[in-house]
Amino acid sequence: MVTYESVIGLEVHAQLDTETKIFCGCSTRFGAPPNQNTCPVCLGLPGALPVLNKKVVELALRASLAVGCRIPPVSVFARKNYFYPDLPKGYQISQYDQPLAVDGSLKIMIHESPREIRIRRIHMEEDAGKLLHEGVEQQSEASFVDLNRAGVPLIEIVSEPDIRSSEEAYLYLKELKAILQTCGVSEANMEEGNLRCDANISIRQNGASELGTRVEIKNLNSFKNVSRALDHEFERQRGILQSGGEIIQETRLYNADLDRTDSMRSKEEAQDYRYFPDPDLLPLKIEAEILERVRQSLPELPEAKRHRFQMEYGLSKMEAGVLTEDEALAEFFEQTAHLSREPKQTVNWILRDLLEKLKETSGSIRQSPVTPAHVAGLIHLTQENKISSTQAKEVFHEMWSTAKMPEVIVSEKGLSQVSDLDSVNRFIDQVFAGNPDLVARFRNGETKLQGVLVGLVMKASSGKANPAVVNKLLKDRTG
Ligand code: ADP
Ligand code: MG
Ligand code: ZN
């Protein structure tokens, strides 16, 4: 039987984390009233001239260098012409045949072995505005245009068709996100819309070397959906080929609710953007010193960090992998490990309890009420046997809901006392073994001896046993 493999190339748009837009001084802040963050430049009024934001270039260079791209000495801004109501100028300023960066790559680990996904190019461009089709259900005739996003800086990162499965696509996106966040380039959050991805996929018989006809899938709004859409599209294309049909090159939209793709436009309907260099912007020359300065300023990248975590803290590949997926999580781990001096315990608390809480509340580590000082304090308490592991769980729970420090919780709840039944029973056993006469009289009904026995148990536990628990257990034993 003939088997097929996927050939996938991803086009990722990331919003650069700048205060102002790419060609004007307007704010990029999210959530302003419609059309407030606008000016003649981003409104496309005649005569207004774009001025390139230096910070945009710096961030784009950071991303490019972080994935090992080569930076040609000159890149050129070009106009991509098309009509749409969210594009007041009638063209988008982008880069075309002379992009900022070319020939990079990104490494992913798939089933324990490394795979290199080549990156074809990275270029800068401006975002378009947003259309609000309010009241579509009410049959309203009106749509609204909000140009706050028009001119927000983006980079587009285009991979070579080197990705071979939906799983690899998922890993590529996760790694790319981690790199962009680590370098302070982008918040890179797909759910928040500052990372967007179009996926190109063709299929071919296993072992074949030529590429099949590709389909581009749009409207993907989470990593999970990218992966699901690719699986779905693989099956669709395979069905067509197996029944002797032919794939047509087209753009399809993913419908997450129905988990299917629908044709949007075919190659014949594809528009010609009539790209040409933007005469309002000079070719961009990147000087060697600037490049060197940016290169020097790059932080430790996720891959290097993963390696270091394994060497320095003795973590497993898996542990190091999960911790470095999110820069803030890695930072949290390192701070806690330094405070607690117990990297293994630290990783356990983070991967088990903290991540579980974050998942429950779908919150980010940045908003966690539990800080590294909390976790380190908790570890100290368990190391010093001040609290049992069951109690530690309880304290963690309480830290999460109250943000109180563990010592405070322990004293408020009287947890430093030994309350768990097994431990208290062990103290009682000790006392019983050492005082057979007393015990015999107690068992024969001299209930006033209860107080004496409680005293002995308290003494045996150096005062830590919870008296209420001791009393109850003693009663149980005579009962
Ligand atoms: P366009 O110019 O239409 O955007 P490109 O050739 O630049 O097309 O490719 C866009 C994306 O599609 C790239 O990520 C590339 O890797 C991917 N791609 C190109 N050809 C194929 C193919 N046959 N199968 C899968 N992906 C492909
Ligand atoms: Mg493209
Ligand atoms: Zn503006």
Side-chain angles (χ1 to χ4, degrees):
M1 208 184 91
V2 190
T3 54
Y4 293 88
E5 72 168 355
S6 299
V7 174
I8 298 164
L10 298 179
E11 296 170 279
V12 174
H13 286 91
Q15 179 180 337
L16 299 177
D17 204 358
T18 58
E19 295 286 318
T20 55
K21 294 185 179 180
I22 181 169
F23 298 119
C24 62
C26 292
S27 167
T28 54
R29 197 171 53 82
F30 182 77
N35 298 304
Q36 180 167 295
N37 299 339
T38 55
C39 73
V41 173
C42 54
L43 289 174
L45 301 187
L49 289 173
V51 177
L52 180 59
N53 179 346
K54 274 197 181 137
K55 184 76 183 174
V56 168
V57 180
E58 189 194 320
L59 293 184
L61 283 175
R62 286 172 84 83
S64 304
L65 293 176
V67 294
C69 281
R70 183 167 63 75
I71 312 295
V74 178
S75 71
V76 172
F77 285 100
R79 293 185 179 181
K80 179 180 180 177
N81 300 281
Y82 64 94
F83 171 79
Y84 208 65
D86 64 6
L87 189 74
K89 294 196 298 294
Y91 59 86
Q92 175 196 26
I93 306 179
S94 180
Q95 295 189 301
Y96 185 51
D97 50 2
Q98 290 183 264
L100 178 75
V102 296
D103 296 338
S105 74
L106 188 151
K107 200 174 95 182
I108 55 172
M109 294 298 290
I110 178 99
H111 308 309
E112 301 280 299
S113 53
R115 283 256 299 132
E116 189 116 326
I117 311 296
R118 288 170 301 157
I119 288 171
R120 182 182 290 176
R121 56 183 280 153
I122 297 183
H123 68 253
M124 297 173 278
E125 62 186 27
E126 58 178 349
D127 205 349
K130 202 172 139 191
L131 293 184
L132 303 156
H133 307 289
E134 250 170 49
V136 173
E137 298 80 17
Q138 293 87 16
Q139 314 271 305
S140 160
E141 302 265 308
S143 282
F144 300 88
V145 185
D146 177 6
L147 294 173
N148 281 346
R149 282 197 70 88
V152 162
L154 308 174
I155 48 174
E156 179 173 347
I157 303 150
V158 183
S159 86
E160 291 290 344
D162 287 350
I163 299 165
R164 291 289 171 271
S165 66
S166 61
E167 194 184 353
E168 288 188 9
Y170 185 82
L171 293 170
Y172 170 89
L173 287 172
K174 276 220 306 212
E175 185 68 6
L176 187 58
K177 171 182 174 150
I179 291 173
L180 294 174
Q181 288 181 341
T182 304
C183 296
V185 167
S186 173
E187 290 181 20
N189 209 324
M190 220 165 166
E191 283 78 2
E192 285 166 19
N194 39 42
L195 197 75
R196 280 172 265 162
C197 172
D198 300 333
N200 298 269
I201 170 171
S202 59
I203 69 170
R204 64 183 175 193
Q205 287 188 15
N206 266 324
S209 57
E210 68 280 10
L211 295 176
T213 304
R214 79 180 147 111
V215 162
E216 180 171 355
I217 312 172
K218 290 186 179 291
N219 203 29
L220 301 166
N221 56 10
S222 69
F223 288 1
K224 270 268 156 354
N225 278 347
V226 172
S227 173
R228 287 170 64 201
L230 286 169
D231 284 337
H232 179 86
E233 183 60 19
F234 174 81
E235 292 302 334
R236 194 189 68 88
Q237 292 188 18
R238 187 171 65 167
I240 292 173
L241 292 189
Q242 279 178 339
S243 57
E246 220 179 289
I247 308 294
I248 49 166
Q249 188 174 334
E250 62 181 347
T251 303
R252 300 180 69 87
L253 287 184
Y254 181 63
N255 182 328
D257 294 334
L258 301 175
D259 187 26
R260 66 163 204 225
T261 60
D262 296 301
S263 184
M264 181 174 116
R265 59 167 177 254
S266 70
K267 192 186 176 189
E268 284 73 40
E269 301 158 71
Q271 27 204 341
D272 176 1
Y273 294 117
R274 297 158 52 93
Y275 281 98
F276 65 88
D278 192 316
D280 290 342
L281 289 155
L282 289 172
L284 176 67
K285 296 199 177 94
I286 305 291
E287 280 150 21
E289 305 90 81
I290 293 187
L291 207 54
E292 199 40 43
R293 208 198 64 220
V294 175
R295 203 188 298 276
Q296 297 292 339
S297 74
L298 284 183
E300 182 181 37
L301 296 174
E303 196 193 336
K305 190 169 279 180
R306 243 178 330 264
H307 185 70
R308 184 169 60 80
F309 277 15
Q310 290 175 51
M311 306 310 284
E312 195 175 324
Y313 301 110
L315 303 188
S316 73
K317 249 198 193 116
M318 195 280 285
E319 292 166 339
V322 178
L323 288 175
T324 51
E325 258 170 34
D326 182 320
E327 208 219 338
L329 193 65
E331 179 68 28
F332 190 106
F333 164 75
E334 285 219 275
Q335 285 184 12
T336 312
H338 282 130
L339 291 171
S340 72
R341 296 168 201 277
E342 287 287 340
K344 269 290 176 194
Q345 294 259 13
T346 300
V347 84
N348 285 342
W349 279 109
I350 292 178
L351 295 194
R352 202 184 45 206
D353 306 78
L354 187 59
L355 285 189
E356 190 183 314
K357 289 282 181 208
L358 288 172
K359 213 184 212 159
E360 274 170 24
T361 58
S362 41
S364 125
I365 183 95
R366 290 176 181 82
Q367 283 116 40
S368 166
V370 169
T371 68
H374 283 95
V375 178
L378 184 59
I379 292 172
H380 284 145
L381 291 173
T382 57
Q383 292 302 68
E384 293 160 7
N385 287 321
K386 295 223 167 104
I387 51 175
S388 65
S389 56
T390 331
Q391 290 174 325
K393 283 259 184 206
E394 191 185 336
V395 173
F396 187 88
H397 204 80
E398 196 66 17
M399 295 195 308
W400 179 268
S401 43
T402 64
K404 286 181 183 163
M405 289 307 280
E407 303 77 19
V408 175
I409 294 168
V410 164
S411 80
E412 276 182 7
K413 298 203 138 199
L415 283 175
S416 57
Q417 304 174 91
V418 178
S419 304
D420 72 289
L421 303 185
D422 283 352
S423 313
V424 176
N425 263 323
R426 246 175 277 128
F427 290 127
I428 295 178
D429 290 342
Q430 260 177 49
V431 169
F432 275 27
N435 302 277
D437 296 345
L438 265 183
V439 174
R441 283 163 58 196
F442 180 57
R443 287 207 158 124
N444 280 330
E446 274 191 60
T447 45
K448 61 174 199 273
L449 288 177
Q450 166 114 0
V452 179
L453 286 168
V454 170
L456 288 171
V457 173
M458 291 307 290
K459 204 170 163 196
S461 72
S462 338
K464 281 193 178 163
N466 182 334
V469 177
V470 177
N471 264 310
K472 177 171 184 310
L473 290 178
L474 281 176
K475 267 197 191 110
D476 288 351
R477 291 205 186 195
T478 50

